[in-house]
């Protein structure tokens, strides 16, 4: 049993590493309690780039369009339009200015506007 823990610990820790340049091993041989070898595949989720323009349907029934400008996004709703810079500037998933923010995660966008509760939108 102790042998399994020593083999699984580095695999589990490697899956927790984040940031650029972090590498997760693709195949690891595991030793079971009876000494048999098994294999396991760890798949790291690849960062999916956002399309240049996307329309999102929000949980409150509204719709918005997000235009990805690279270091900023333009959020266009039915009655307003706002450009939000990347925050921090070196990444491409979190954008914000003042009390407004948008976090892009795959096909979802989490939108925070002022004193309103966060709103989840999907494309």
């Amino acid at each position: 049993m102790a042998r399994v823990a020593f083999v699984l610990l580095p695999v589990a820790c490697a899956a927790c590493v984040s940031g650029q340049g972090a590498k997760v091993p693709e195949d690891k041989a595991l030793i079971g309690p009876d000494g048999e070898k098994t294999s396991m595949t760890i798949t790291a989720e690849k960062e999916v780039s956002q399309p240049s323009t996307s329309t999102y349907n929000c949980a409150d029934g509204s719709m918005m369009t997000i235009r990805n400008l690279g270091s900023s996004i333009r959020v266009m709703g039915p009655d307003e339009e706002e450009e939000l810079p990347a925050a921090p500037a070196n990444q491409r998933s979190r954008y914000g200015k003042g009390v407004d923010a948008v976090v892009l995660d795959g096909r979802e966008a989490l939108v925070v506007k002022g004193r309103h509760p966060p709103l989840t939108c999907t494309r």
Side-chain angles (χ1 to χ4, degrees), residues 66-75 81-104 110 112-113:
I66 295 179
R67 172 175 251 167
N68 189 336
L69 305 172
S71 61
S72 66
I73 58 172
R74 181 171 301 279
V75 180
E81 186 172 319
E82 181 177 24
E83 188 167 327
L84 300 173
N90 64 342
Q91 56 73 49
R92 299 294 175 256
S93 62
R94 295 180 309 273
Y95 300 87
K97 177 172 61 173
V99 293
D100 296 342
V102 174
V103 178
L104 301 175
L110 180 65
V112 180
K113 296 285 286 174

Side-chain angles (χ1 to χ4, degrees), residues 9-19 22-24 42:
L9 183 60
V11 172
C13 291
C16 297
V17 175
S18 65
K23 295 188 184 212
V24 177
I42 299 173

Side-chain angles (χ1 to χ4, degrees), residues 55-64 107 109 119-123:
T55 300
Y56 290 80
N57 295 310
C58 300
D60 67 352
S62 65
M63 289 178 61
M64 70 175 179
R107 298 183 60 83
L119 180 63
T120 301
C121 304
T122 55
R123 61 179 158 100

